[in-house]
Every structure is written in C-alpha cells, then in structure tokens.
C-alpha cells in the first residue's frame, strides 16, 4: 500500500492536475525532467554534495533524555532545525533549484507564507546564481517583515499579493498564475507536497532524505525502528519526508499533527485532514477547509507554517487508507510545549514543531519503556521568539 501503487498522478483518488490547459505542457516538461534527473547519477552527485557541504546533512539524530523521562519512552529527535536556514524547507528548494538549472531555467518563482520557504529559495538561488521572485501576501509581509528583509538581502524580489486574505493561499494562487505566462523560462519552486502533479511526489522524494537518514540512524542508535513517527502537518512536506522511508514498515505508526488553532469546534484552525472535506485547491484534489458552498475557508494557526487550508494529497490518501493517523493540537497547547520543550532539551523548536512535540507530551504513558518515538524537529524557533515574547505570557 505504498503510494507508488496508487500510480500516475494520483494517490488513490487524490492529487491530479486541476490547472489551466496552458500549464499542462510545463507540468509534462517538469515531470520528464524530474524523472530523467532522478535516474541520472550525476544529478545525485550534485544534490548530495550540496546537501552535505552547504545544507549540513546528514542532520543529527539527538536523544532527548529529559523529554523521554517525561513521556516514559525514549524520544529521538531528527534535527532538521540544524540545516542551513533553520528548517527542512531547504532540502526541497535546493533540489528543485538544481533541477531548474538542468532544465536551462534561470529564473525561479516561489510563494511564501511566513517567509521560511521564500528565504530557503532566495538562499539557493543566490548560491546557484538564479534570479528569484517570491510572491507573498501583503498581510504576511507585514507580519514577517524580517523575512522580507532577509529575502531582499539575499537578492530576491518580493512581490506583494493584495488579493483575498493577502496570505499564503493567495500568494500561491498568484505564483501559479504568473508561472502560466512565464513557464518557458521560469521554474516554480512550490514549498510543500501540494500543487498539481508532479509536485507532490517530487517534493516528497526531495524531502524523503529526512526519513532515509532517520531510519538508518534509529537502527544504529536505538537498535530498532521507532514505534511511532510524529511530525507536524501544514502542507505536509516535513511529515511526508520523514514518513516515506517507514511506509513499508507495517509496525511503525505514522502520526501527523495538525494545528487546531482556537479549537476544532471554532472555525479558526488549520486541521484540513481532521475537519475538512475533499475539494480542489492549487491544482490538486485533497482535504480542504471549505464552507457549505465549497468556498475555501481561511485557516488559522498561531504558527504561520501550519496556517494553510489545504494539505498534500498523499496525506489525504494515507488518512483514508489508514496508513497514517492525523491528530491536532491547539495554539495554547503548542505554545506551552514551545517553552516546555526548550527548557527540557535546550532546543527552541519552531512553533510548527511545538505542535508535534505537544502531542507526544500530552500522550505520556502511551508507549512502553522500550518503544521509541521519533519526532521530526522541522525547524528552529528563533523565527518565532519575537512573536511569542510580544504575547507577554512567559517571563523569561
Ligand atoms: C513550513 C514549515 C512547516 C510546515 O510545512 P510542511 O510542508 O507541512 O512541512 C513546518 N515546520 C517548519 C519549521 C516550517 O518552516
């Protein structure tokens, strides 16, 4: 029941290509270029070298003694926070930028919400000498002005998006619209396992390095596979990245943690899998937050990286097939875990990661003392410190 058996551009019923006719040749070209690159040892030599010597891979697997004592089972941390630019996003951005260069495309388009994917993309474009245009909602630009400055510092152009709620959903729509007219010389680097085929599968394959390393590291350090693999889910790329290598391991439970915002019964959350219904957004069929008329319902989360009304189609497939389970954690509970995790392990996690950590802490006693739990630390929390400090709830 791996996703491969779903075949083609679908994961079960989910995925597909719901795009304007004019984009189909560009998606076909990308799919062929990706397949050719993946089969070419020279591509892997270049990518592996960039991941090793520039991004800083392999990322460590840390033990977490104090968190483990609290949970009653050994918790292991896959440290994507230690990558260059501070999160897992650069794994995908670097790989797609190398692919774009192979395709002869010198111009990169990207969307960004909080700015993390925009910064990762601006970074790899600087490194590879590609021009970079990042679409960002005006509201997000206001909330994340430091990341706007970082992108500009790295040489990118940041284009404000003023439609809709002026956030990530609108920035993505605008980036896709722009790509339609420039795809002959531009490549669109999407930031998660979302979008029309081949993006969800390609981004998964580029993020799968997380789980490949972690699986090997678990066997070496813990002497066995984890009982549970836990990761936060926004669009779903860090989760799919760490899940993928474990999908064939029937004894390994895969758990995705969504943002419950102000609560699942409020209409202010980002729990697309838990509370959404199948619908089309950004070129793919997947679970989606929508109102009674099928209009996209705006998402909410304290964590900008989880604040997205859709989710990758392979997660929709895993939910329906039962291969993965999806749970959720509210803003308040994630915020408490943000400080608790920092104080237990000396690692300030991204607010996104804090959701996954919170779910593990809330489930202390669920695992036997010899059942390891593997947590994907998707990013570092330095980007969130100012936001949390302003709330004035912790006296540091
Ligand atoms: C963007 C981001 C996420 C959410 O994106 P996914 O595609 O669901 O992984 C999670 N954690 C961090 C640190 C991020 O920057």
């Amino acid at each position: 029941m791996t996703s491969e058996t779903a075949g083609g551009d679908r994961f079960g019923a989910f995925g597909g290509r719901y795009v304007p006719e004019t984009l189909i040749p560009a998606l076909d070209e990308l799919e062929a270029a990706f397949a050719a690159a993946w089969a070419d040892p020279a591509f892997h030599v270049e990518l592996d070298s960039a991941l090793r010597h520039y991004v800083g891979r392999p990322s460590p697997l840390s033990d977490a003694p104090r968190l483990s004592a609290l949970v009653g089972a050994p918790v292991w941390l896959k440290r994507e926070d230690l990558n260059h630019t501070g999160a897992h996003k650069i794994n995908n951005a670097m790989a797609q930028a190398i692919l774009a260069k192979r395709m002869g495309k010198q111009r990169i388009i990207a969307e960004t919400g909080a700015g993390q994917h925009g910064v990762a993309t601006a970074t790899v474009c600087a490194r590879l000498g590609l021009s970079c245009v990042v679409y960002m909602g005006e509201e997000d630009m206001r909330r994340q002005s430091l990341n706007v400055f970082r992108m500009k510092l790295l040489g990118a152009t940041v284009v404000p998006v003023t439609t809709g709620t002026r956030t990530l959903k609108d920035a993505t729509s605008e980036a896709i619209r722009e790509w339609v007219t420039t795809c002959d010389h531009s490549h669109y680097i999407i930031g998660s396992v979302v979008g029309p085929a081949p993006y969800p599968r390609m981004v998964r394959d580029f993020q799968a390095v997380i789980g490949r390393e972690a699986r090997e590291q678990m066997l070496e350090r813990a002497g066995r596979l984890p009982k549970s693999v836990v990761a936060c889910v926004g669009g779903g790329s860090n989760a799919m990245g760490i899940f993928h290598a474990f999908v064939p391991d029937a004894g390994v439970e895969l758990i995705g943690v969504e943002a419950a915002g102000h609560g699942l019964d409020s209409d202010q959350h980002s729990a697309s899998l838990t509370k959404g219904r199948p619908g089309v957004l950004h070129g793919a069929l997947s679970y989606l937050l929508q109102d009674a008329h099928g209009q996209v319902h705006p998402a909410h989360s304290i964590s900008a990286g989880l604040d997205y009304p859709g989710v990758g189609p392979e997660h929709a497939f895993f939910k329906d097939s039962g291969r993965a389970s999806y749970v959720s954690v509210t803003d308040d509970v994630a915020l408490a875990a943000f400080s608790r995790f920092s104080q237990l392990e000396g690692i300030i996690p991204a607010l996104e990661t804090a959701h996954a950590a919170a779910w593990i802490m809330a489930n202390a006693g669920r695992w036997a003392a010899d059942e390891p739990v593997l947590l994907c630390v998707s990013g570092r929390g330095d980007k969130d410190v100012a936001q949390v400090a302003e709330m004035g709830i912790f006296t540091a």
Side-chain angles (χ1 to χ4, degrees):
M1 197 192 45
T2 66
S3 44
E4 270 77 14
T5 59
D9 64 358
R10 300 262 171 180
F11 303 93
F14 300 104
R17 281 182 178 177
Y18 297 84
V19 295
E21 200 68 38
T22 44
L23 211 52
I24 299 292
L27 293 170
D28 282 341
E29 182 197 7
L30 177 60
E31 184 154 32
F34 170 55
W38 200 253
D40 180 359
F43 174 76
H44 291 281
V45 167
E46 185 177 358
L47 176 57
D48 292 352
S49 173
L51 292 178
R52 184 178 162 95
H53 303 296
Y54 185 74
V55 172
R57 305 206 70 89
S59 66
L61 181 75
S62 297
D63 55 344
R66 300 185 68 215
L67 178 60
S68 302
L70 181 110
V71 171
V75 180
W76 294 86
L77 311 175
K78 182 56 175 164
R79 301 291 305 280
E80 295 302 299
D81 59 313
L82 294 179
N83 294 338
H84 180 41
T85 67
H88 67 291
K89 294 231 168 58
I90 197 166
N91 302 324
N92 167 53
M94 178 61 85
Q96 285 203 49
I98 292 173
L99 180 62
K101 221 172 165 175
R102 277 175 69 103
M103 294 171 75
K105 312 227 167 173
Q106 293 292 323
R107 181 171 177 272
I108 298 297
I109 304 168
E111 85 295 338
T112 199
Q116 296 305 110
H117 175 57
V119 168
T121 303
T123 298
V124 300
C125 286
R127 161 86 179 184
L128 296 177
L130 302 168
S131 79
C132 180
V133 181
V134 181
Y135 288 82
M136 188 169 188
E138 215 173 37
E139 176 63 15
D140 288 336
M141 285 180 74
R142 191 186 58 75
R143 290 191 293 193
Q144 304 287 338
S145 55
L146 259 180
N147 273 343
V148 175
F149 182 76
R150 281 190 187 101
M151 286 183 268
K152 291 181 176 170
L153 191 61
L154 289 158
T157 303
V158 182
V159 179
V161 174
T162 57
T163 50
T165 50
R166 293 172 292 142
T167 57
L168 176 60
K169 168 179 72 66
D170 313 291
T172 308
S173 302
E174 194 55 36
I176 293 174
R177 232 188 321 272
E178 212 264 357
W179 192 42
V180 170
T181 62
T182 58
C183 54
D184 56 322
H185 64 283
S186 298
H187 172 65
Y188 174 33
I189 301 189
I190 205 163
S192 190
V193 284
V194 299
Y199 281 107
R201 192 170 260 112
M202 182 175 76
V203 175
R204 175 200 71 195
D205 288 348
F206 289 154
Q207 290 292 4
V209 64
I210 304 173
R212 225 165 30 239
E213 288 175 6
R215 192 176 183 283
E216 215 170 276
Q217 289 166 323
M218 283 298 299
L219 290 172
E220 191 185 307
R221 306 275 307 288
R224 58 162 286 180
L225 293 176
K227 172 68 184 164
S228 309
V229 180
V230 184
C232 63
V233 176
S237 68
N238 86 92
M240 200 51 77
I242 198 165
F243 287 175
H244 189 62
F246 295 100
V247 169
D249 300 315
V252 177
E253 181 185 38
L254 308 175
I255 299 168
V257 184
E258 296 192 295
H262 294 321
L264 290 180
D265 295 328
S266 74
D267 61 359
Q268 296 199 316
H269 59 73
S270 303
S272 333
L273 289 159
T274 311
K275 295 286 278 191
R277 286 180 288 119
V280 171
L281 178 67
H282 299 142
L285 176 69
S286 186
Y287 279 83
L288 176 63
L289 298 179
Q290 46 192 312
D291 66 19
H293 307 288
Q295 293 295 318
V296 180
H297 191 283
H300 162 79
S301 170
I302 191 174
S303 142
L306 302 183
D307 198 343
Y308 182 66
V311 66
E314 192 168 14
H315 285 292
F317 175 65
F318 281 176
K319 174 190 158 82
D320 282 10
S321 69
R323 181 60 191 95
S325 340
Y326 297 89
V327 295
S328 64
V329 160
T330 61
D331 286 355
D332 288 349
V333 173
L335 205 49
F338 179 75
S339 86
R340 192 85 193 274
F341 187 92
S342 299
Q343 290 170 20
L344 281 172
E345 293 300 335
I347 298 166
I348 300 174
L351 277 174
E352 293 84 358
T353 306
H355 287 72
W359 185 82
I360 294 174
M361 288 189 232
N363 283 277
R366 183 180 186 274
W367 295 275
D370 62 348
E371 291 181 334
V373 180
L374 172 62
L375 167 65
C376 187
V377 181
S378 56
R380 63 178 183 230
D382 303 51
K383 68 182 177 60
D384 301 313
V385 165
Q387 180 193 346
V388 174
E390 267 171 34
M391 292 173 182
I393 44 177
F394 302 122
T395 45

